[in-house]
Amino acid sequence: MLNLFSLKRLSWGSGADGQEKVVLSAVEVESLRSEIVALEERESHYKAQLEHLDEILRYARLSSYLYIRSRWEALPGEPPPLDDAEVDDWLPRFVVLQGSYIYLFLSSADLSPQDSTLLSDIVEVDSLPCFTREDEETRYCFYILTRHGLRYECSNVSKIQVDSWVAALKIDCKLGSDAKDINDTIMM
């Protein structure tokens, strides 16, 4: 067991029965105890993260990594936003559709989301044209528009993944073929 702690500062000696023994001062013992406590705390933190992730994924309707960027729609009377198609500000996020929310996490191991949106606030979901990045990788895209004017643009290399998100969001947000009529009613 003591060989696990291959600390060079420990002095080894032989006992009367021929077995190797470690000779420790009180300071060294206390240092090892504090290291063990720190490792146990880190282990419990990692266990909590894993349990949280397990809980999220167990009850999630859909979850995956998506590249996301957010934009605000122009308010009435404002000039239209500049065309920023050339700006590469897509950030990878772990996105979870669970219950009546969409959660955006920085990574799948995070304990709390960076952002969340109520499904009832979503007024429009639809596909966007795909694009090819500098690394020759084609990205398929869709957007989510909230009643507050916040527009999440999402992309993934998998067309199936994007189609799954669009279909699930349209169903969960009750945005069917008459989504345009619903959007007009909500925005008034």
Side-chain angles (χ1 to χ4, degrees), residues 66 127-128 130 138-142 155-167:
L66 297 173
S127 298
L128 288 170
C130 61
T138 300
R139 292 259 179 92
Y140 300 92
C141 306
F142 68 99
S155 71
N156 196 301
V157 294
S158 168
K159 183 171 180 5
I160 294 170
Q161 192 72 245
V162 167
D163 292 344
S164 297
W165 274 100
V166 170

Side-chain angles (χ1 to χ4, degrees), residues 15-143:
D17 55 358
Q19 290 188 353
E20 290 185 0
K21 294 184 178 184
V22 177
V23 180
L24 299 173
S25 68
V27 173
E28 291 171 325
V29 170
E30 197 54 43
S31 173
L32 284 174
R33 282 186 182 147
S34 65
E35 287 180 36
I36 290 170
V37 167
L39 288 172
E40 288 173 344
E41 287 174 1
R42 193 176 327 159
E43 179 188 25
S44 66
H45 176 72
Y46 289 143
K47 281 183 180 179
Q49 282 183 318
L50 284 173
E51 289 171 4
H52 177 69
L53 179 60
D54 184 51
E55 184 78 15
I56 288 171
L57 295 178
R58 183 179 298 136
Y59 297 108
R61 175 157 155 58
L62 193 59
S63 64
S64 67
Y65 273 97
L66 297 173
Y67 285 88
I68 294 185
R69 65 184 188 173
S70 56
R71 300 286 183 263
W72 288 97
E73 292 289 305
L75 295 172
E78 282 187 335
L82 297 173
D83 181 21
D84 59 357
E86 298 301 315
V87 177
D88 187 11
D89 57 349
W90 296 90
L91 300 171
R93 296 290 181 257
F94 187 68
V95 184
V96 177
L97 175 60
Q98 180 185 25
S100 59
Y101 284 91
I102 296 176
Y103 297 101
L104 286 87
F105 294 85
L106 288 175
S107 76
S108 60
D110 284 351
L111 290 177
S112 58
Q114 177 191 15
D115 195 8
S116 63
T117 299
L118 269 169
L119 294 179
S120 60
D121 285 345
I122 296 174
V123 295
E124 192 174 334
V125 175
D126 210 351
S127 298
L128 288 170
C130 61
F131 67 92
T132 304
R133 292 185 47 131
E134 294 171 1
D135 58 2
E136 304 295 323
E137 192 173 58
T138 300
R139 292 259 179 92
Y140 300 92
C141 306
F142 68 99
Y143 69 92

